[in-house]
Amino acid sequence: MPKNKKPAGGRPARNFDPDYVAKRRAQQAKKGPKPGSRSPGHRGYRSPEETPKKNRWDAAERAERAEQRRQGDRRFDRDDRPQRERFDEDRPKRHYERDDRPRRQFARDDRPRRDDRARDDRARRDDRGSRFARDDRPGRDDRRFDRDARPQRRSFDSDDRPRRSFERDSRPRRDDRSTRFNSDDRAQRRYERDDRPRRQFDRDERPQRRQFDRDDRPQRRFDRDSRPQRRDSFANRDAKPRFTPQDDVVLERLEADAIQASDVEGVSFSDLGLGGNIVRTLGELGAASPFPIQAATIPDVLAGKDVLGRGRTGSGKTIAFGAPLVERLMENKGGTKREMGRKPRALILAPTRELALQIDRTVQPIARSVGLFTTQIYGGVPQARQVGALKRGVDIVIGTPGRIEDLIEQGRLDLSDVKVSVLDEADHMCDLGFLEPVQRILRQTAPKGQKLLFSATLDTGVAALVNEFLVDPAVHEVAGEDQDSGTIDHRVLVALREDKVQLLTELADRDEKTLVFTRTRAYAEQLVDDLEDAGVRAVALHGDLSQGRRQRNLERLTSGRVKVLVATDVAARGIHVDDITLVIQADMPDEYKTYLHRSGRTGRAGKAGRVVTVIPRNRRRRMTEMLERAEIDAPIVDVFPGDDVVDEIAGRPTIADLTS
DNA sequence: AAAAAAC
């Protein structure tokens, strides 16, 4: 039946109900005219004068909403964000928890120092609130739109949400572990939990609690030792190869030729063998003379050798492979003019779409300077444009594995002419889930084609690829360039779980760019809400957002319009944003390599930066081990909201500074 | 177990 026909039987569609239509018209009339199009000449154009002002929330209303939420009244959310509402229904416990904690208020009042600052902040935050209010509301609406409009998202929700609520409420890890690995353990656990009513008691009185906790520690340790089951469960974990801390070992470093930074002095890109146009473009990109890793790898790439390159985060790896790759293509262009539909001759693979995009932003101008074309091939966006570019003919394909394989299967992308392939973040591309697609793609490229593997954490994990695809590779690294020799100040803060949000808020409430990492997409969302409720503008970046929103939110940080980005590990590798001065790890990273990559988002190209990791007490040991593997020295301190060290890390003057 | 990556 055509859509515009009135249904034959049953209740008529509302639009065909004269009463309904009349009622709606009356409502519309009362509301006044709708806002029309803003561009003159458009059919629905309305001049600004006759366009009614939209209802915007001001700072006071916003604060009221936050207060309502705090009191467990979800009315505002229900109107605004249906999705959230459903989420909360799954977790009635939270209402209870929140209502049950007036303590917060109390604690805050109890500290005059905090109060002073809070007053200052409040003024500033209100300010900020109104400044952002205009952008804010539509943004939220957008978000709701995204949710509704995207089926994938739903499927994610249905799989993930329930589990999330379970985790949050009932201490995920432990339960999980015990049920999985040791059923006997479980009974014991439950006993333990029942055995801790004193915690409840302590919760009422802050200062005592601190005291108590400190005393409590030895006892805890004793507890642990006296629980053989627990040990067993760890032993079992160890037996599971992929999930254990043991998995996080430092793989053997590849035998590498180390270039000394001093060897590079006075060397120019031309000296390394790059042509005039390319050198000029590099200069325009801000690369006047080569960084060490570039000086080390460029000659070998130009010589056609397979290359493994390790240079720490922010050391200029993109140019290290991008520039010589273009030079190579230009050299052996022989015969192949820029004909329509010519097959690509070079391929650059990256683990995330944002990284692929970013690489293209560097490589494209270099390629254009010598008349070569690049195109991005990645998912999450319509493929038509990408296919169109391929039809016209491109020389360099830059993208992520999924869409590249997709287009190969559709017969729209032919890699058989690819003579140079680059894997950026190569060790990550060898992780489970990435390795096989990458192998399949590389097998499509020209046999014996040149392969270049780059990463800040290049280790023997890439052996699978090296053995199959590389011939006598040259391995390069820069002498003395381990991460710790860099410009980054590392800190670890041990905090109580119930202080975490407050602490993160205080850390993130600053004027310079801040990147916050979480372990899950759900927590990234949650944290953005928590920060916004506390008056700190923040946006999220994770794989559950539409690609448009991902790019928009990243751009908001890049442009500095928003100072805080909360991201999953999708942003851990390769992403370059100028002047991120603080990286906050709201969750501890999984492995030392992740630690290195996350912290590498700051302190780039020799600039100063700071990394702070917030952990609960029981992660302290694992954290210490991870730092050892990463070869990083970081002080580990107990911290509570309002402590001086928090201000110091955030870069605010401490009380001591103010009074001196 | 999570994250990323295709429609």
Side-chain angles (χ1 to χ4, degrees):
Chain A
M1 182 182 67
K3 268 188 187 155
N4 58 353
K5 281 279 167 57
K6 184 176 173 175
R11 200 169 132 267
R14 283 186 137 183
N15 287 349
F16 293 98
D17 177 352
D19 292 339
Y20 177 77
V21 171
K23 202 173 101 192
R24 284 293 290 164
R25 289 216 174 114
Q27 280 174 358
Q28 284 299 332
K30 210 191 284 176
K31 268 196 210 162
K34 282 190 195 169
S37 161
R38 287 194 192 160
S39 47
H42 188 278
R43 197 158 60 97
Y45 174 67
R46 254 177 222 285
S47 70
E49 295 82 55
E50 61 171 315
T51 307
K53 267 267 182 286
K54 282 188 180 173
N55 283 326
R56 303 294 192 191
W57 288 11
D58 61 22
E61 285 169 324
R62 194 176 166 73
E64 188 197 2
R65 173 177 164 275
E67 183 56 30
Q68 295 276 6
R69 290 186 54 157
R70 214 164 289 130
Q71 289 172 10
D73 181 345
R74 313 302 293 186
R75 245 179 329 122
F76 285 79
D77 293 295
R78 201 165 297 161
D79 298 339
D80 194 32
R81 293 179 296 177
Q83 206 72 17
R84 279 239 159 263
E85 212 269 312
R86 201 185 57 191
F87 167 64
D88 278 312
E89 274 175 0
D90 295 343
R91 312 171 45 227
K93 206 169 191 176
R94 198 165 153 203
H95 294 243
Y96 171 74
E97 284 167 4
R98 288 224 163 162
D99 292 340
D100 200 31
R101 296 191 297 176
R103 174 182 55 84
R104 268 243 158 128
Q105 299 287 34
F106 174 77
R108 207 173 282 171
D109 297 343
D110 201 27
R111 283 180 293 199
R113 199 159 54 69
R114 286 280 319 143
D115 212 29
D116 282 347
R117 229 201 66 210
R119 206 177 304 135
D120 291 346
D121 284 358
R122 210 168 299 137
R124 213 169 83 230
R125 282 171 185 169
D126 283 348
D127 211 1
R128 198 183 292 175
S130 58
R131 182 150 51 98
F132 282 107
R134 200 166 302 158
D135 310 324
D136 186 41
R137 290 293 299 294
R140 297 235 153 190
D141 287 345
D142 278 352
R143 195 195 290 182
R144 187 180 54 185
F145 172 74
D146 273 346
R147 265 181 202 166
D148 292 339
R150 286 179 310 133
Q152 315 93 294
R153 161 97 205 205
R154 293 221 158 204
S155 79
F156 164 72
D157 279 345
S158 54
D159 291 336
D160 196 48
R161 281 293 169 80
R163 201 176 338 133
R164 173 155 62 135
S165 67
F166 168 75
E167 282 177 6
R168 183 85 50 72
D169 291 343
S170 59
R171 297 225 172 168
R173 250 136 236 278
R174 301 201 159 174
D175 277 349
D176 222 9
R177 216 185 269 161
S178 49
T179 47
R180 263 190 84 138
F181 300 110
N182 198 329
S183 48
D184 289 344
D185 193 29
R186 196 160 192 193
Q188 172 117 5
R189 279 280 156 63
R190 203 168 283 155
Y191 170 74
E192 261 173 42
R193 190 170 290 169
D194 292 341
D195 199 28
R196 296 191 294 180
R198 4 168 210 150
R199 277 223 151 181
Q200 290 290 39
F201 171 74
D202 284 308
R203 211 167 262 184
D204 296 338
E205 283 164 38
R206 254 304 192 52
Q208 254 135 8
R209 160 141 208 172
R210 293 188 192 182
Q211 201 51 48
F212 181 81
D213 255 309
R214 289 207 175 123
D215 299 342
D216 190 31
R217 264 201 83 186
Q219 194 181 345
R220 280 200 168 176
R221 201 177 290 148
F222 169 74
D223 277 348
R224 188 178 288 176
D225 291 343
S226 68
R227 280 181 291 160
Q229 289 91 337
R230 174 123 192 209
R231 294 238 144 157
D232 278 350
S233 86
F234 269 111
N236 277 335
R237 274 163 54 93
D238 292 349
K240 289 254 175 195
R242 289 206 63 255
F243 294 29
T244 64
Q246 242 66 14
D247 186 41
D248 177 28
V249 293
V250 179
L251 283 162
E252 195 183 323
R253 289 205 163 173
L254 295 151
E255 211 44 50
D257 297 333
I259 190 170
Q260 302 291 330
S262 57
D263 294 348
V264 195
E265 281 170 32
V267 176
S268 71
F269 280 116
S270 308
D271 297 338
L272 297 173
L274 297 174
N277 283 346
I278 293 177
V279 172
R280 199 174 318 118
T281 312
L282 288 173
E284 287 162 13
L285 289 170
S289 57
F291 287 164
I293 185 67
Q294 296 161 354
T297 58
I298 288 174
D300 272 343
V301 176
L302 290 177
K305 296 191 70 170
D306 289 345
V307 172
L308 301 177
R310 177 170 55 229
R312 73 172 167 217
T313 54
S315 66
K317 290 186 289 295
T318 307
I319 288 174
F321 60 73
L325 173 142
V326 171
E327 179 75 33
R328 285 264 297 157
L329 292 191
M330 209 184 53
E331 283 168 1
N332 56 21
K333 188 152 62 175
T336 56
K337 286 283 174 219
R338 294 222 310 261
E339 59 195 35
M340 289 283 287
R342 65 191 181 283
K343 300 179 200 167
R345 290 175 296 141
L347 170 71
I348 303 175
L349 283 177
T352 64
R353 299 163 187 170
E354 283 76 10
L355 185 51
L357 194 72
Q358 179 183 297
I359 293 170
D360 188 40
R361 275 200 288 264
T362 299
V363 174
Q364 187 176 64
I366 303 174
R368 283 295 176 86
S369 74
V370 297
L372 297 179
F373 286 78
T374 69
T375 196
Q376 310 151 8
I377 306 284
Y378 57 73
V381 294
Q383 66 172 41
R385 242 171 57 117
Q386 300 172 356
V387 172
L390 290 172
K391 275 186 187 151
R392 286 193 299 278
V394 300
D395 305 285
I396 305 170
V397 163
I398 301 166
T400 52
R403 177 63 65 87
I404 288 176
E405 272 209 285
D406 193 8
L407 293 187
I408 291 173
E409 276 165 30
Q410 292 179 33
R412 298 172 195 271
L413 174 59
D414 182 348
L415 296 181
S416 60
D417 267 4
V418 168
K419 303 284 199 305
V420 190
S421 309
V422 183
L423 288 188
D424 199 8
E425 306 297 343
D427 58 318
H428 188 39
M429 301 294 265
C430 290
D431 285 354
L432 199 82
F434 264 133
L435 178 60
E436 292 188 9
V438 167
Q439 285 173 324
R440 285 194 297 266
I441 289 170
L442 288 182
R443 282 173 196 143
Q444 300 273 331
T445 64
K448 310 217 172 145
Q450 186 179 9
K451 308 286 189 298
L452 314 174
L453 272 53
F454 282 78
S455 178
T457 53
L458 200 64
D459 55 28
T460 50
V462 295
L465 289 180
V466 173
N467 293 337
E468 179 176 354
F469 296 104
L470 279 72
V471 182
D472 186 26
V475 191
H476 292 287
E477 68 179 4
V478 179
E481 263 211 352
D482 56 353
Q483 289 290 334
D484 200 35
S485 67
T487 49
I488 304 174
D489 171 36
H490 297 268
R491 311 290 188 95
V492 178
L493 303 182
V494 182
L496 300 175
R497 278 179 206 280
E498 56 265 45
D499 286 341
K500 190 168 171 184
V501 171
Q502 175 69 20
L503 195 62
L504 292 172
T505 304
E506 292 177 8
L507 286 169
D509 186 13
R510 56 204 295 279
D511 293 326
E512 296 181 39
K513 290 180 192 171
T514 308
L515 181 53
V516 185
F517 282 106
T518 66
R519 201 175 55 89
T520 67
R521 300 178 279 198
Y523 186 45
E525 273 311 299
Q526 175 69 45
L527 201 50
V528 165
D529 282 353
D530 289 342
L531 289 172
E532 293 248 325
D533 283 351
V536 177
R537 275 290 284 163
V539 290
L541 178 61
H542 56 75
D544 193 31
L545 299 174
S546 69
Q547 189 55 31
R549 181 158 279 277
R550 278 168 66 161
Q551 270 159 236
R552 193 156 55 246
N553 287 355
L554 180 58
E555 196 278 334
R556 280 179 180 163
L557 182 73
T558 311
S559 66
R561 226 157 69 77
V562 170
K563 299 294 187 185
V564 181
L565 181 70
V566 184
T568 59
D569 283 328
V570 68
R573 284 178 177 253
I575 300 304
H576 177 91
V577 175
D578 277 337
D579 303 322
I580 292 175
T581 50
L582 178 63
V583 168
I584 301 172
Q585 310 200 62
D587 292 316
M588 200 179 120
D590 283 338
E591 52 160 1
Y592 81 96
K593 289 203 282 185
T594 308
Y595 185 101
L596 292 176
H597 285 283
R598 283 176 169 188
S599 39
R601 296 318 100 207
T602 185
R604 294 182 74 78
K607 288 188 183 170
R610 185 172 277 156
V611 178
V612 57
T613 309
V614 178
I615 58 168
R617 190 184 293 277
N618 62 359
R619 290 303 181 91
R620 194 173 170 137
R621 189 192 194 87
R622 272 184 62 187
M623 192 66 211
T624 313
E625 290 167 0
M626 180 179 299
L627 290 170
E628 271 169 26
R629 293 196 185 96
E631 298 178 353
I632 281 171
D633 267 332
I636 303 180
V637 295
D638 287 316
V639 73
F640 297 91
D643 284 356
D644 274 0
V645 67
V646 179
D647 288 332
E648 186 221 319
I649 290 172
R652 286 184 298 261
T654 60
I655 290 302
D657 296 333
L658 291 175
T659 51
S660 64

mmCIF file of all heavy atoms in Angstrom, chain A residues 163 379 403 520-521 543 550, chain B:
data_model
loop_
_atom_site.group_PDB
_atom_site.id
_atom_site.type_symbol
_atom_site.label_atom_id
_atom_site.label_comp_id
_atom_site.label_asym_id
_atom_site.label_seq_id
_atom_site.Cartn_x
_atom_site.Cartn_y
_atom_site.Cartn_z
ATOM 1 N N ARG A 163 25.024 -5.295 30.912
ATOM 2 C CA ARG A 163 26.223 -5.772 31.554
ATOM 3 C C ARG A 163 26.896 -4.648 32.304
ATOM 4 O O ARG A 163 27.372 -4.793 33.403
ATOM 5 C CB ARG A 163 27.184 -6.326 30.522
ATOM 6 C CG ARG A 163 28.156 -7.258 31.191
ATOM 7 C CD ARG A 163 29.096 -7.919 30.220
ATOM 8 N NE ARG A 163 28.615 -7.948 28.878
ATOM 9 C CZ ARG A 163 29.355 -7.610 27.864
ATOM 10 N NH1 ARG A 163 30.585 -7.189 28.054
ATOM 11 N NH2 ARG A 163 28.891 -7.662 26.665
ATOM 12 N N GLY A 379 35.997 3.363 7.200
ATOM 13 C CA GLY A 379 34.576 3.118 7.409
ATOM 14 C C GLY A 379 33.865 4.248 8.113
ATOM 15 O O GLY A 379 34.448 5.270 8.439
ATOM 16 N N ARG A 403 37.266 -1.160 5.792
ATOM 17 C CA ARG A 403 36.714 -0.647 4.543
ATOM 18 C C ARG A 403 37.589 -1.036 3.352
ATOM 19 O O ARG A 403 37.088 -1.279 2.247
ATOM 20 C CB ARG A 403 36.566 0.874 4.628
ATOM 21 C CG ARG A 403 36.083 1.584 3.404
ATOM 22 C CD ARG A 403 34.686 1.207 2.976
ATOM 23 N NE ARG A 403 33.623 1.567 3.892
ATOM 24 C CZ ARG A 403 32.999 2.733 3.922
ATOM 25 N NH1 ARG A 403 33.344 3.689 3.104
ATOM 26 N NH2 ARG A 403 32.016 2.943 4.774
ATOM 27 N N THR A 520 36.518 2.074 28.980
ATOM 28 C CA THR A 520 35.354 1.671 28.178
ATOM 29 C C THR A 520 34.644 2.884 27.589
ATOM 30 O O THR A 520 34.755 3.994 28.092
ATOM 31 C CB THR A 520 34.325 0.896 29.029
ATOM 32 O OG1 THR A 520 33.771 1.783 29.999
ATOM 33 C CG2 THR A 520 34.955 -0.290 29.718
ATOM 34 N N ARG A 521 33.888 2.593 26.545
ATOM 35 C CA ARG A 521 33.114 3.653 25.900
ATOM 36 C C ARG A 521 32.057 4.174 26.854
ATOM 37 O O ARG A 521 31.801 5.378 26.918
ATOM 38 C CB ARG A 521 32.444 3.095 24.642
ATOM 39 C CG ARG A 521 33.445 2.562 23.651
ATOM 40 C CD ARG A 521 32.781 1.973 22.446
ATOM 41 N NE ARG A 521 32.314 0.624 22.717
ATOM 42 C CZ ARG A 521 32.001 -0.246 21.770
ATOM 43 N NH1 ARG A 521 32.092 0.102 20.517
ATOM 44 N NH2 ARG A 521 31.592 -1.441 22.091
ATOM 45 N N GLY A 543 34.397 4.722 20.000
ATOM 46 C CA GLY A 543 33.886 4.016 18.835
ATOM 47 C C GLY A 543 32.387 3.871 18.782
ATOM 48 O O GLY A 543 31.843 3.346 17.814
ATOM 49 N N ARG A 550 32.579 11.872 16.045
ATOM 50 C CA ARG A 550 33.969 11.627 16.456
ATOM 51 C C ARG A 550 34.857 12.753 15.953
ATOM 52 O O ARG A 550 35.647 13.330 16.695
ATOM 53 C CB ARG A 550 34.452 10.289 15.883
ATOM 54 C CG ARG A 550 34.031 9.088 16.707
ATOM 55 C CD ARG A 550 34.265 7.770 15.977
ATOM 56 N NE ARG A 550 35.670 7.464 15.740
ATOM 57 C CZ ARG A 550 36.119 6.249 15.474
ATOM 58 N NH1 ARG A 550 35.298 5.217 15.444
ATOM 59 N NH2 ARG A 550 37.395 6.055 15.250
ATOM 60 P P DA B 1 34.418 -12.212 30.062
ATOM 61 O OP1 DA B 1 33.422 -11.646 30.952
ATOM 62 O OP2 DA B 1 34.062 -12.828 28.792
ATOM 63 O "O5'" DA B 1 35.507 -11.062 29.771
ATOM 64 C "C5'" DA B 1 35.895 -10.280 30.863
ATOM 65 C "C4'" DA B 1 36.087 -8.860 30.407
ATOM 66 O "O4'" DA B 1 37.422 -8.694 29.917
ATOM 67 C "C3'" DA B 1 35.158 -8.430 29.262
ATOM 68 O "O3'" DA B 1 34.843 -7.064 29.470
ATOM 69 C "C2'" DA B 1 36.030 -8.635 28.036
ATOM 70 C "C1'" DA B 1 37.368 -8.201 28.594
ATOM 71 N N9 DA B 1 38.539 -8.723 27.918
ATOM 72 C C8 DA B 1 38.678 -9.918 27.287
ATOM 73 N N7 DA B 1 39.861 -10.105 26.757
ATOM 74 C C5 DA B 1 40.560 -8.945 27.088
ATOM 75 C C6 DA B 1 41.862 -8.501 26.817
ATOM 76 N N6 DA B 1 42.744 -9.231 26.148
ATOM 77 N N1 DA B 1 42.215 -7.271 27.286
ATOM 78 C C2 DA B 1 41.316 -6.568 27.959
ATOM 79 N N3 DA B 1 40.067 -6.868 28.261
ATOM 80 C C4 DA B 1 39.748 -8.082 27.792
ATOM 81 P P DA B 2 33.929 -6.334 28.364
ATOM 82 O OP1 DA B 2 33.073 -5.422 29.128
ATOM 83 O OP2 DA B 2 33.355 -7.273 27.373
ATOM 84 O "O5'" DA B 2 35.054 -5.472 27.652
ATOM 85 C "C5'" DA B 2 36.051 -4.878 28.473
ATOM 86 C "C4'" DA B 2 36.623 -3.680 27.773
ATOM 87 O "O4'" DA B 2 37.913 -4.047 27.252
ATOM 88 C "C3'" DA B 2 35.779 -3.234 26.571
ATOM 89 O "O3'" DA B 2 35.848 -1.842 26.456
ATOM 90 C "C2'" DA B 2 36.449 -3.926 25.409
ATOM 91 C "C1'" DA B 2 37.905 -3.954 25.848
ATOM 92 N N9 DA B 2 38.625 -5.090 25.318
ATOM 93 C C8 DA B 2 38.175 -6.356 25.086
ATOM 94 N N7 DA B 2 39.066 -7.171 24.566
ATOM 95 C C5 DA B 2 40.193 -6.372 24.457
ATOM 96 C C6 DA B 2 41.487 -6.616 23.979
ATOM 97 N N6 DA B 2 41.879 -7.795 23.492
ATOM 98 N N1 DA B 2 42.369 -5.605 24.008
ATOM 99 C C2 DA B 2 41.984 -4.421 24.483
ATOM 100 N N3 DA B 2 40.796 -4.062 24.962
ATOM 101 C C4 DA B 2 39.937 -5.092 24.917
ATOM 102 P P DA B 3 34.903 -1.157 25.365
ATOM 103 O OP1 DA B 3 34.345 0.033 26.015
ATOM 104 O OP2 DA B 3 34.024 -2.162 24.744
ATOM 105 O "O5'" DA B 3 35.936 -0.695 24.261
ATOM 106 C "C5'" DA B 3 37.007 0.170 24.648
ATOM 107 C "C4'" DA B 3 38.007 0.218 23.526
ATOM 108 O "O4'" DA B 3 38.760 -1.003 23.533
ATOM 109 C "C3'" DA B 3 37.357 0.273 22.147
ATOM 110 O "O3'" DA B 3 37.301 1.621 21.699
ATOM 111 C "C2'" DA B 3 38.315 -0.509 21.264
ATOM 112 C "C1'" DA B 3 39.141 -1.323 22.215
ATOM 113 N N9 DA B 3 38.914 -2.748 22.047
ATOM 114 C C8 DA B 3 37.759 -3.446 22.252
ATOM 115 N N7 DA B 3 37.860 -4.727 22.010
ATOM 116 C C5 DA B 3 39.181 -4.874 21.609
ATOM 117 C C6 DA B 3 39.923 -5.988 21.201
ATOM 118 N N6 DA B 3 39.410 -7.214 21.126
ATOM 119 N N1 DA B 3 41.213 -5.780 20.865
ATOM 120 C C2 DA B 3 41.721 -4.543 20.941
ATOM 121 N N3 DA B 3 41.122 -3.421 21.310
ATOM 122 C C4 DA B 3 39.841 -3.658 21.630
ATOM 123 P P DA B 4 36.401 1.883 20.409
ATOM 124 O OP1 DA B 4 36.209 3.333 20.361
ATOM 125 O OP2 DA B 4 35.241 0.972 20.412
ATOM 126 O "O5'" DA B 4 37.345 1.420 19.210
ATOM 127 C "C5'" DA B 4 38.606 2.061 19.029
ATOM 128 C "C4'" DA B 4 39.306 1.396 17.861
ATOM 129 O "O4'" DA B 4 39.710 0.073 18.250
ATOM 130 C "C3'" DA B 4 38.395 1.209 16.654
ATOM 131 O "O3'" DA B 4 38.660 2.242 15.708
ATOM 132 C "C2'" DA B 4 38.823 -0.114 16.055
ATOM 133 C "C1'" DA B 4 39.552 -0.813 17.165
ATOM 134 N N9 DA B 4 38.822 -1.963 17.645
ATOM 135 C C8 DA B 4 37.522 -2.007 18.091
ATOM 136 N N7 DA B 4 37.128 -3.200 18.453
ATOM 137 C C5 DA B 4 38.256 -3.993 18.226
ATOM 138 C C6 DA B 4 38.497 -5.358 18.400
ATOM 139 N N6 DA B 4 37.577 -6.219 18.858
ATOM 140 N N1 DA B 4 39.731 -5.826 18.083
ATOM 141 C C2 DA B 4 40.640 -4.963 17.620
ATOM 142 N N3 DA B 4 40.536 -3.652 17.414
ATOM 143 C C4 DA B 4 39.305 -3.230 17.738
ATOM 144 P P DA B 5 37.591 2.389 14.535
ATOM 145 O OP1 DA B 5 37.955 3.606 13.805
ATOM 146 O OP2 DA B 5 36.239 2.210 15.087
ATOM 147 O "O5'" DA B 5 37.895 1.114 13.621
ATOM 148 C "C5'" DA B 5 39.213 0.883 13.097
ATOM 149 C "C4'" DA B 5 39.058 -0.183 12.024
ATOM 150 O "O4'" DA B 5 38.952 -1.465 12.672
ATOM 151 C "C3'" DA B 5 37.747 0.013 11.254
ATOM 152 O "O3'" DA B 5 37.872 -0.244 9.873
ATOM 153 C "C2'" DA B 5 36.805 -0.958 11.887
ATOM 154 C "C1'" DA B 5 37.745 -2.095 12.304
ATOM 155 N N9 DA B 5 37.168 -2.838 13.403
ATOM 156 C C8 DA B 5 35.939 -2.626 13.970
ATOM 157 N N7 DA B 5 35.618 -3.468 14.897
ATOM 158 C C5 DA B 5 36.723 -4.304 14.966
ATOM 159 C C6 DA B 5 37.009 -5.415 15.760
ATOM 160 N N6 DA B 5 36.176 -5.888 16.661
ATOM 161 N N1 DA B 5 38.186 -6.020 15.569
ATOM 162 C C2 DA B 5 39.026 -5.536 14.653
ATOM 163 N N3 DA B 5 38.866 -4.484 13.837
ATOM 164 C C4 DA B 5 37.689 -3.915 14.059
ATOM 165 P P DA B 6 36.896 0.423 8.897
ATOM 166 O OP1 DA B 6 37.242 0.125 7.499
ATOM 167 O OP2 DA B 6 36.825 1.828 9.323
ATOM 168 O "O5'" DA B 6 35.521 -0.260 9.283
ATOM 169 C "C5'" DA B 6 35.195 -1.528 8.733
ATOM 170 C "C4'" DA B 6 34.227 -1.343 7.571
ATOM 171 O "O4'" DA B 6 33.939 -2.644 7.060
ATOM 172 C "C3'" DA B 6 32.877 -0.736 7.972
ATOM 173 O "O3'" DA B 6 32.301 -0.177 6.785
ATOM 174 C "C2'" DA B 6 32.104 -1.969 8.402
ATOM 175 C "C1'" DA B 6 32.576 -2.972 7.347
ATOM 176 N N9 DA B 6 32.553 -4.358 7.753
ATOM 177 C C8 DA B 6 32.416 -4.867 9.006
ATOM 178 N N7 DA B 6 32.424 -6.177 9.056
ATOM 179 C C5 DA B 6 32.595 -6.545 7.737
ATOM 180 C C6 DA B 6 32.690 -7.800 7.110
ATOM 181 N N6 DA B 6 32.629 -8.952 7.755
ATOM 182 N N1 DA B 6 32.835 -7.814 5.768
ATOM 183 C C2 DA B 6 32.896 -6.642 5.112
ATOM 184 N N3 DA B 6 32.819 -5.391 5.591
ATOM 185 C C4 DA B 6 32.675 -5.428 6.925
ATOM 186 P P DC B 7 31.220 1.006 6.931
ATOM 187 O OP1 DC B 7 31.602 2.090 6.018
ATOM 188 O OP2 DC B 7 31.061 1.269 8.372
ATOM 189 O "O5'" DC B 7 29.874 0.358 6.393
ATOM 190 C "C5'" DC B 7 29.725 0.200 4.995
ATOM 191 C "C4'" DC B 7 28.561 -0.709 4.693
ATOM 192 O "O4'" DC B 7 28.829 -2.021 5.188
ATOM 193 C "C3'" DC B 7 27.253 -0.268 5.355
ATOM 194 O "O3'" DC B 7 26.314 0.091 4.353
ATOM 195 C "C2'" DC B 7 26.744 -1.480 6.131
ATOM 196 C "C1'" DC B 7 27.660 -2.592 5.707
ATOM 197 N N1 DC B 7 28.085 -3.479 6.860
ATOM 198 C C2 DC B 7 28.132 -4.851 6.656
ATOM 199 O O2 DC B 7 27.810 -5.285 5.549
ATOM 200 N N3 DC B 7 28.512 -5.651 7.676
ATOM 201 C C4 DC B 7 28.850 -5.124 8.847
ATOM 202 N N4 DC B 7 29.227 -5.947 9.813
ATOM 203 C C5 DC B 7 28.815 -3.720 9.063
ATOM 204 C C6 DC B 7 28.433 -2.936 8.052
#
